[in-house]
């Protein structure tokens, strides 16, 4: 009877190794969410900068005429 109760040595290590892939997967998915959010913020900022640059140039300036689509 004593031997059956003492057989669970190392059980925590085995359970931790079993959960490690799930923990790593969770961390990778969280990191991907952070990167998607950051890309969204950068895209919004680039759009704001483009609009600001487009409205700051006067219609008759040389740079506006050179960049106008034909």
């Amino acid at each position: 009877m004593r031997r059956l109760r003492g057989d669970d040595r190392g059980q925590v290590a085995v359970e931790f190794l079993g959960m490690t892939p799930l923990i790593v997967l969770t961390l990778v998915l969280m990191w991907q969410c952070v990167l998607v959010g950051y890309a969204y913020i950068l895209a919004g900022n680039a759009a704001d900068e483009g609009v600001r640059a487009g409205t700051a140039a006067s219609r008759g300036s040389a740079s506006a005429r050179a960049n106008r689509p034909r």
Side-chain angles (χ1 to χ4, degrees):
M1 200 66 152
R2 173 80 176 147
R3 184 166 186 234
L4 291 177
R5 275 196 265 156
D7 252 358
D8 60 353
R9 293 188 68 205
Q11 183 66 29
V12 173
V14 171
E15 289 177 4
F16 179 74
L17 287 176
M19 291 298 292
T20 300
L22 184 61
I23 293 168
V24 170
L25 179 67
T26 302
L27 291 174
V28 167
L29 289 175
M30 288 174 57
W31 181 247
Q32 287 298 313
C33 289
V34 167
L35 291 179
V36 166
Y38 184 62
Y40 182 77
I41 290 170
L42 287 179
N45 188 32
D48 290 342
E49 291 292 325
V51 169
R52 187 175 297 119
T55 58
S58 65
R59 289 198 177 271
S61 70
S63 65
R65 281 192 305 261
N67 292 329
R68 185 176 46 201
R70 299 195 196 298

